[in-house]
Amino acid sequence: MGHFTAAFSALGMPPFFPLIFKQSLHSNAEFLIGWAYVLPAAMTALSGPWWGRLSDRFGRKALLLRAQLGLAGSFLLAGFAETVPVFLLALTLQGLFGGTLAASNAYLATLFEGQGLTRILTLLQGSARAALIAAPVGLGFALLKTSPIETYRYLALLPLTAAAMIAFLPNTGPVQAAKKDAMKSASDGSGLRLLILLQFAFAFGTVVTFPYFVPFTQLRVEGGGPALAGFLFGLPHFVYLVAAAPLSLWLGRKHLLPTLSAAFLLLALSLGGQILANGVLTLGLWRLVMGLAMTASFIALHGLIAEANEAGSAGRMFGLLDSASKWGGVAAGVIAGLVVQAFGTDAPLLLGLLVLCAGAAAIARRTGAPLLRTR
């Protein structure tokens, strides 16, 4: 619930940035809207590894509280912003002092291990999927009764509520120094580097398809309006919510690298199928396949992360992995705009396909070598 409240605000407001710039900030600088989209993620990517190391030193509950309070403060600043620079400052602080997913993962890694950690990370990722579905709708209704910028003032209550809940969680304390040094030396090396690379490839390969999916759908489906495009956009995330729990019962236990490779290839195939789709039924079926492949990818990645957690300090590792994911999303958002201008709305899906295939190839090169003691 704590992560959902943070994700609801952080993921739900960006679609309404055009309204904030035009109606609340009285700005016509539309070119800044794209930068506003990627600014929090870029700042989280920069600060994530640092916060992770601090959580290993001072305790993960303290850093989890810091993340929620950081979001609350940045939302309040955004809610009272009257100029574009102040609003962009608030988004910068949101990224620098947020990072609730990495902080939540690091805290949970002190309570679970092995298959239990794989399952709980998969469940936590479901809160982000649920936010992607619920937030645009819920905030859309909220904006009927309040101005876009003032909505941030009320959203600040959500991370404050999450912080109040987190205050009652047990305090895990900092990692013992000797144990931390031993784990850090074991987690360094090619295995962790490959895991970071795969996290980046997965984030890039999926996020690159997001920004221009609506115009892509309207070109592919005759008479397809925004409502249909929004439904098709949310379909893979809905599949995750439905399928993640049952699939995690038998995925993510063994053969993790082959499972991730197969999931990447299936995800790439689904993107190719969407490029070739010429109707709502065909496109919808490929979006369902995309959801299943995305779910399997998350579960396999979580299994690998659970294995790595046995060999590395959780705060540092999750900070690096979250940073890789955020950099993948930032790069995807920037490059998607460039390739669409040059090659059309099919280009992001084709680029995602190629990156995911490259990720599968990197796994194939690693087959036969241990990746942080994968089972």
Side-chain angles (χ1 to χ4, degrees):
M1 287 186 66
H3 182 252
F4 175 80
T5 57
F8 185 92
S9 306
L11 298 178
M13 285 305 293
F16 302 103
F17 281 176
L19 292 179
I20 290 177
F21 272 74
K22 186 175 182 179
Q23 296 181 14
S24 300
L25 302 177
H26 309 291
S27 171
N28 293 320
E30 295 184 356
F31 69 95
L32 288 176
I33 296 175
W35 289 101
Y37 267 79
V38 302
L39 187 56
M43 294 299 102
T44 301
L46 287 172
S47 63
W50 183 58
W51 287 123
R53 291 186 180 92
L54 286 178
S55 74
D56 288 333
R57 183 175 179 182
F58 297 106
R60 282 135 199 186
K61 178 182 174 181
L63 272 293
L64 183 53
L65 277 169
R66 182 274 315 160
Q68 297 289 1
L69 294 175
L71 281 183
S74 64
F75 289 165
L76 280 175
L77 179 60
F80 288 96
E82 296 182 351
T83 63
V84 170
V86 174
F87 182 68
L88 294 178
L89 174 62
L91 295 181
T92 300
L93 296 177
Q94 175 186 323
L96 287 176
F97 294 97
T100 54
L101 180 60
S104 300
N105 285 339
Y107 179 84
L108 291 171
T110 64
L111 305 179
F112 299 88
E113 61 182 14
Q115 183 61 22
L117 181 57
T118 302
R119 281 183 163 183
I120 205 68
L121 294 181
T122 301
L123 179 62
L124 185 67
Q125 185 60 229
S127 66
R129 305 301 113 189
L132 280 170
I133 296 172
V137 177
L139 292 173
F141 281 109
L143 290 176
L144 295 175
K145 297 184 177 181
T146 185
S147 73
I149 200 76
E150 289 178 357
T151 305
Y152 269 108
R153 304 177 191 177
Y154 302 103
L155 290 178
L157 297 174
L158 296 180
L160 285 176
T161 303
M165 292 189 290
I166 291 167
F168 291 96
L169 292 176
N171 194 345
T172 59
V175 179
Q176 296 295 326
K179 184 179 179 182
K180 180 173 63 176
D181 291 340
M183 291 190 299
K184 179 178 178 180
S185 63
S187 66
D188 284 334
S190 60
L192 183 57
R193 287 195 295 269
L194 177 61
L195 190 54
I196 290 171
L197 174 64
L198 295 176
Q199 188 86 344
F200 178 92
F202 179 56
F204 185 97
T206 51
V207 174
V208 75
T209 68
F210 291 174
Y212 297 94
F213 181 75
V214 171
F216 168 82
T217 302
Q218 292 174 330
L219 289 174
R220 289 288 169 179
V221 179
E222 185 176 355
L228 176 62
F231 170 77
L232 291 172
F233 177 84
L235 199 55
H237 307 295
F238 178 77
V239 171
Y240 184 95
L241 293 177
V242 174
L247 284 180
S248 64
L249 294 175
W250 56 280
L251 286 180
R253 295 174 177 270
K254 55 184 179 179
H255 309 303
L256 298 175
L257 283 174
T259 299
L260 184 59
S261 179
F264 272 19
L265 291 175
L266 183 60
L267 188 52
L269 178 64
S270 72
L271 297 182
Q274 291 175 63
I275 293 173
L276 299 176
N278 55 6
V280 62
L281 180 60
T282 308
L283 184 57
L285 288 174
W286 282 117
R287 295 294 287 179
L288 290 173
V289 174
M290 180 181 178
L292 289 172
M294 186 178 72
T295 304
S297 298
F298 269 120
I299 294 173
L301 276 171
H302 293 158
L304 291 169
I305 291 169
E307 292 293 326
N309 182 63
E310 297 177 5
S313 55
R316 171 180 172 272
M317 184 187 69
F318 282 112
L320 289 171
L321 292 174
D322 189 51
S323 179
S325 179
K326 293 297 188 296
W327 280 127
V330 170
V334 173
I335 294 175
L338 297 176
V339 298
V340 164
Q341 284 188 334
F343 304 106
T345 56
D346 290 357
L349 282 82
L350 179 60
L351 184 58
L353 182 156
L354 294 174
V355 169
L356 289 166
C357 287
I363 295 172
R365 290 183 59 188
R366 186 62 188 238
T367 301
L371 174 68
L372 296 172
R373 302 192 295 118
T374 51
R375 295 189 182 103

